[in-house]
């Protein structure tokens, strides 16, 4: 079984496939959409189908696929446990009962000793919330003796109340009420500290006051959910004081959180050690130890096995006891030292990151005072916010949130092995969180990854500072330049947002919106074609603002005025070209109609001049032979440059097209003179300025020398015949006019 599992894992983890495998995978995928095969499929084909489904969207699922690739030997043991559980379930009842009892008792004993939880029982469950749900049912059965027979009527007489911290998982309370059939009024959220202590810890004084009020109202305090490591910031509640309150009010205390893993270490802080006195706790060993598909464990203390059975914490079915088998195998494979080493490694990673972040400017950390939490939460703090009184403080906070979100996304993309994510705290806004207890064992985070993370933060801090400092200058420049409008979007982590305002006389709002969208889309495309360090985009996919240009983060040497002026000039170019094309289309249409009318009149005049006889085919030929008509062909030519309809008589006389009015000069984007290697929108350094001044002085001296030199006598101009096309005699403007006249529309009468 282990050999087959290793072969299957190797096949699934093998990302390099040959061409034959690709074709076979494609055929397998096509067969998957059809009904079941009558003859069935072999194991290789089925595993190839699984591999295809795993890699079907590799870009979006790259993180999950990477975690599967990092499954080590201990992960293979956990996966083997599931296969063994299926195999063992077919044994006879007596052997199955003995085996499952031994597996369950061994695993429970090891976990209770490992996490210092004496005389405890264990419940193994797939959903990490299910253990707390079973504990709530156990407490209800214990508190209400007639609950089994009377049910809801007992709860109605004395309403039970479940208390949990405001820093707990937001969906946990609603899940408990839905599964227990209780109204949401049975759930009470206790606020966190506001004056003293951590702002992520439960306020014990508020809880005491709420308990007294509920007891006076005839309610029954049932259970308190405390945190040994809040989901967001990793802070631990005052468990010792909370346990005293629970004992005074005959209330059950349940504890959960990542800091419970610290109980396996040799040195444990007193705040976390108090969790060993609680009535129950939930452990998520899978992410802590890097074990895939192992169940979560809820340890609890209760003396009545009948009530535990009624609540679902214990079962008489041997097959359900096999849930502990993957964990039983993995714990034996790792051993006590291996388990402690993994937890210790995660704690050391967080401490190393915290020590390095404390030395960085503009970085604020949010950790507990004792420093024993493995969770590190940090954010960028804009130090210039206190001195700048012209900018609203709430605006700076919203802009800082956007920058912190950008920082977290950059760190997660550049160093994925660290597993950082973004979390929103109530009083501190968006922050970057590093929780190695939940990610390091799976991703294989090492000390070098932490050093790279710190270096990456050092590189990103100046970029964020420069971007925030240039935001106000960018806004003023955009408001100063005509044709551009500044768009306020505090959620954008970049220099700013603008829109090119198209001046249109169109009454229809839909057509006006379409023109605005078209111009800004073309402008965005042109900006992305420029060789610059800035990033231009159309913004978030589901953003509130439309038809805008979002500009990314900026560096210190960014020339904001040149950037804004360039965008305005390019927008005007696109608008003028669009308007010219529209006008030309209308002029050409009218010119064709006018030419048809004039040619029709010319045909009527020719009919009157030549007579009716000349129009008869045979007679007309004889008359034209006897008395030829000396008539110049009359046609019309349409000058696109001047937009006028002209006669072709001069063309037939001079045997060449006569150039008309030269076209107006096309507006071009003029950039300042740049030095070699200098990119767009960059200010020159001091050395570059000095070199520029030196070159300008030498250029002035050269001009003065040329002015002092004698002026040569002008050469007589050679007259040219306009009727004869000559490349040398044409100026640059005539070149442009001739190019336009080449595309003129001619319409001549037919004989």
């Amino acid at each position: 079984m282990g050999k087959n599992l290793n072969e299957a894992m190797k096949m699934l983890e093998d990302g390099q496939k040959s061409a034959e495998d690709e074709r076979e995978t494609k055929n397998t995928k096509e067969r998957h959409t059809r009904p079941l095969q009558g003859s069935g499929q072999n194991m290789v084909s089925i595993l190839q189908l699984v591999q295809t489904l795993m890699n079907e969207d590799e870009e979006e699922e790259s993180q999950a696929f990477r975690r599967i690739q990092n499954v080590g030997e201990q992960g293979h043991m956990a996966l083997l446990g599931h296969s063994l559980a299926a195999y063992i379930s077919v044994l006879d009842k007596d052997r199955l009962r003995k085996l499952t009892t031994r597996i369950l008792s061994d695993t429970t004993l090891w976990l209770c000793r490992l996490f210092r939880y004496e005389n405890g029982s264990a419940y193994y469950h797939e959903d990490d919330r299910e253990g707390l749900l079973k504990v709530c049912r156990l407490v209800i059965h214990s508190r209400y003796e007639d609950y089994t027979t009377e049910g809801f009527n007992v709860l109605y007489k004395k309403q039970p109340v479940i208390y949990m911290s405001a820093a707990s998982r937001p969906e946990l309370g609603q899940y408990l009420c839905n599964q227990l059939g209780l109204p949401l009024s049975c759930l009470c959220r206790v606020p966190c500290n506001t004056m003293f202590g951590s702002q992520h810890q439960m306020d014990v004084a508020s809880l005491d006051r709420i308990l007294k009020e509920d007891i006076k109202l005839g309610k029954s305090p049932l259970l308190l959910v405390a945190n040994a490591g809040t989901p967001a910031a990793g802070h631990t509640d005052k468990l010792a004081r909370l346990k005293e309150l629970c004992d005074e009010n005959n209330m059950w205390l349940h504890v959960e959180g990542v800091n419970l893993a610290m109980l396996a270490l040799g040195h444990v802080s007193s705040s976390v050690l108090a969790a060993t006195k609680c009535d129950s706790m939930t452990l998520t060993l899978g992410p802590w130890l890097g074990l895939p598909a192992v169940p979560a464990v809820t340890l609890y203390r209760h003396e009545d096995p009948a009530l535990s059975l009624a609540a679902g914490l214990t079962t008489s079915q041997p097959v359900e006891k096999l849930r502990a088998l993957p964990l039983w195998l993995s714990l034996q494979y790792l051993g006590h030292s291996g388990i402690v080493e993994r937890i210790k490694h995660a704690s050391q990673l967080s401490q190393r990151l915290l020590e390095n972040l404390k030395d960085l400017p503009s970085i604020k950390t949010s950790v507990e005072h004792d420093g024993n939490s493995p969770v590190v939460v940090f954010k960028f703090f804009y130090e210039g916010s206190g001195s700048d009184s012209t900018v609203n403080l709430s605006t700076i906070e919203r802009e800082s949130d956007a920058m912190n979100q950008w920082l977290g996304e950059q760190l997660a993309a550049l160093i994925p092995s660290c597993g950082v994510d973004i979390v929103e705290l109530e009083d501190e806004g968006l922050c970057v969180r590093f929780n190695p207890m939940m990610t390091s064992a799976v991703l294989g985070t090492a000390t070098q990854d932490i050093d790279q993370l710190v270096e990456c933060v050092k590189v990103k801090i100046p970029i964020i500072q420069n971007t925030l400092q240039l935001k106000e200058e960018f806004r003023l420049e955009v408001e100063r330049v005509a044709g551009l409008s500044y768009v306020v979007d505090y959620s954008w982590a970049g220099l700013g947002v603008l829109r090119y305002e198209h001046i249109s006389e169109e009454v229809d709002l839909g057509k006006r919106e379409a023109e605005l969208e078209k111009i800004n889309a073309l402008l965005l495309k042109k900006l992305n074609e420029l060789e610059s360090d800035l990033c231009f985009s159309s913004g978030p996919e589901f953003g509130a603002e439309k038809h805008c240009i979002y500009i990314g983060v900026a560096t210190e040497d960014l020339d904001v005025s040149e950037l804004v002026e360039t965008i305005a000039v390019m927008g005007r170019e696109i608008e003028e070209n669009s308007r010219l094309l529209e006008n030309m289309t209308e002029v050409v249409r009218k010119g064709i109609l006018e030419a048809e009318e004039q040619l029709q009149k010319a045909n009527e005049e020719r009919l009157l001049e030549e007579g009716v006889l000349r129009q008869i085919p045979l007679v007309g030929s004889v008359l034209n032979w006897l008395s030829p008509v000396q008539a110049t062909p009359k046609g019309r030519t349409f000058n696109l440059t001047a937009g006028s309809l002209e006669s072709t008589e001069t063309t037939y006389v001079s045997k060449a097209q006569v150039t008309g009015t030269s076209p107006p000069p096309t507006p071009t984007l003029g950039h300042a003179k740049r030095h070699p290697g200098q990119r767009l929108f960059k200010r020159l350094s001091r050395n570059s300025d000095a070199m520029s001044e030196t070159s300008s002085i030498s250029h002035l001296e050269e001009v003065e020398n040329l002015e002092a030199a004698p002026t040569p006598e002008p050469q007589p101009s050679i007259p040219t015949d306009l009727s004869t096309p000559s490349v040398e005699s044409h100026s640059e403007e005539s070149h442009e006019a001739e190019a336009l006249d080449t595309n003129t529309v001619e319409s001549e009468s037919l004989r």
Side-chain angles (χ1 to χ4, degrees), residues 348-365 376 378 434 446-458 461:
Q348 290 174 350
L349 291 177
S350 62
Q351 294 300 320
R352 184 181 185 87
L353 177 61
L354 181 60
E355 292 174 1
N356 291 328
L357 290 178
K358 287 182 178 179
D359 300 332
L360 296 182
S362 304
I363 292 295
K364 179 182 178 182
T365 59
V376 178
F378 62 95
F434 175 64
T447 307
Q448 296 83 354
D449 299 324
I450 302 301
D451 297 337
Q452 293 180 7
L453 183 66
V454 175
E455 292 299 325
C456 189
V457 173
K458 291 181 181 179
I461 287 177

Side-chain angles (χ1 to χ4, degrees), residues 165-169 192 198-201 227-237 257-259 350 354 365-378 421-429 431-436 438:
S165 172
S168 299
R169 290 179 287 178
C192 296
S198 171
Q199 296 181 350
H200 305 282
Q201 288 180 345
N227 292 299
T230 55
H235 290 208
T236 302
D237 294 328
V258 294
N259 292 355
S350 62
L354 181 60
T365 59
S366 175
V367 294
E368 288 187 301
H369 299 291
D370 54 8
N372 289 313
S373 174
V375 182
V376 178
V377 178
F378 62 95
D421 59 353
I422 303 169
V423 63
E424 184 175 5
L425 303 181
E426 184 177 356
D427 298 327
E428 299 179 8
C431 302
V432 182
R433 178 178 59 185
F434 175 64
N435 190 359
M438 301 296 291

Side-chain angles (χ1 to χ4, degrees), residues 137-138 140-155 304 306-311:
R137 288 177 177 169
L138 173 64
I140 292 176
H141 281 282
S142 302
R143 186 69 53 85
Y144 300 93
E145 297 180 356
D146 299 332
Y147 177 74
T148 306
T149 57
E150 297 186 13
F152 174 76
N153 293 328
V154 179
L155 303 180
D304 193 346
L307 293 181
S308 300
L309 181 62

Side-chain angles (χ1 to χ4, degrees), residues 385 388-399 490:
S385 59
D388 194 356
S389 59
T390 60
V391 183
N392 191 2
L393 184 59
S394 62
T395 301
I396 295 179
E397 291 178 354
R398 285 185 287 182
E399 292 177 349
Y490 297 113

Side-chain angles (χ1 to χ4, degrees), residues 625-699:
W625 178 70
L626 295 175
S627 176
V629 178
Q630 301 294 332
T632 304
K634 296 181 180 180
R636 297 294 183 270
T637 177
F638 185 73
N639 193 335
L640 294 178
T641 304
S644 60
L645 196 66
E646 301 173 356
S647 175
T648 59
E649 295 180 2
T650 56
T651 303
Y652 287 102
V653 172
S654 61
K655 306 299 183 181
Q657 279 189 336
V658 181
T659 59
T661 309
S662 60
T666 303
T668 57
L669 182 62
H671 296 293
K673 185 177 179 180
R674 300 187 176 278
H675 295 280
Q678 182 184 357
R679 299 178 69 85
L680 287 175
F681 318 130
K682 294 290 185 181
R683 292 193 180 101
L684 294 176
S685 60
R686 293 183 178 180
N687 296 333
S688 301
D689 293 340
M691 184 171 60
S692 178
E693 292 177 1
T694 305
S695 60
S696 61
I697 293 175
S698 61
H699 178 68

Side-chain angles (χ1 to χ4, degrees), residues 159-432:
Q159 179 181 352
V161 182
I162 300 174
Y163 303 88
M164 61 177 54
S165 172
S168 299
R169 290 179 287 178
E171 78 284 354
L172 182 60
Q174 186 175 2
Y175 169 80
L176 293 177
C177 291
N178 292 338
Q179 296 297 320
L180 295 172
L182 299 176
L184 292 179
S185 58
C186 294
L187 178 66
C188 178
R189 289 195 170 272
V190 183
C192 296
N193 295 327
T194 56
M195 299 296 294
F196 304 101
S198 171
Q199 296 181 350
H200 305 282
Q201 288 180 345
M202 187 185 301
D203 190 347
V204 181
S206 298
L207 175 62
D208 190 13
R209 184 179 64 256
I210 293 173
L211 287 173
K212 293 179 180 178
E213 293 176 356
D214 289 344
I215 293 175
K216 290 181 180 179
L217 294 175
K219 297 181 180 180
S220 176
L222 194 67
L223 180 140
L224 172 65
V225 182
N227 292 299
T230 55
H235 290 208
T236 302
D237 294 328
K238 299 176 182 178
L239 300 178
R241 182 71 183 101
L242 293 177
K243 179 59 178 174
E244 295 177 0
L245 277 179
C246 290
D247 293 340
E248 294 174 0
N249 296 276
N250 191 22
M251 190 165 53
W252 186 283
L253 177 61
H254 178 83
V255 181
E256 60 180 17
V258 294
N259 292 355
L260 292 175
M262 300 292 115
L263 293 173
L265 301 180
H267 174 71
V268 187
S269 63
S270 58
S271 59
V272 179
L273 189 61
T276 58
K277 305 299 181 182
C278 66
D279 298 299
S280 61
M281 65 169 65
T282 298
L283 310 174
T284 54
L285 297 172
W288 294 357
L289 304 178
L291 303 175
V294 297
V297 184
T298 296
L299 303 179
Y300 64 97
R301 296 190 185 99
H302 199 266
E303 298 177 354
D304 193 346
L307 293 181
S308 300
L309 181 62
L313 288 170
T314 58
T315 179
S316 59
Q317 299 295 328
V319 177
E320 295 186 8
K321 296 180 181 180
L322 289 174
R323 291 180 182 175
L325 181 57
L327 198 55
W328 183 74
L329 294 175
S330 301
L331 293 179
Q332 292 185 86
Y333 182 83
L334 291 174
H336 185 276
S337 300
I339 296 172
V340 173
E341 185 62 30
R342 286 178 176 269
I343 297 175
K344 185 178 180 181
H345 175 68
S347 178
Q348 290 174 350
L349 291 177
S350 62
Q351 294 300 320
R352 184 181 185 87
L353 177 61
L354 181 60
E355 292 174 1
N356 291 328
L357 290 178
K358 287 182 178 179
D359 300 332
L360 296 182
S362 304
I363 292 295
K364 179 182 178 182
T365 59
S366 175
V367 294
E368 288 187 301
H369 299 291
D370 54 8
N372 289 313
S373 174
V375 182
V376 178
V377 178
F378 62 95
K379 63 176 294 187
F380 170 81
F381 176 70
Y382 187 42
E383 297 178 349
S385 59
S387 58
D388 194 356
S389 59
T390 60
V391 183
N392 191 2
L393 184 59
S394 62
T395 301
I396 295 179
E397 291 178 354
R398 285 185 287 182
E399 292 177 349
S400 298
D401 285 346
M403 287 300 177
N404 280 292
Q405 183 173 1
W406 175 83
L407 176 62
E409 293 174 352
Q410 290 289 311
L411 296 178
L414 296 176
I415 312 176
S417 57
C418 286
V420 297
D421 59 353
I422 303 169
V423 63
E424 184 175 5
L425 303 181
E426 184 177 356
D427 298 327
E428 299 179 8
L430 293 179
C431 302
V432 182

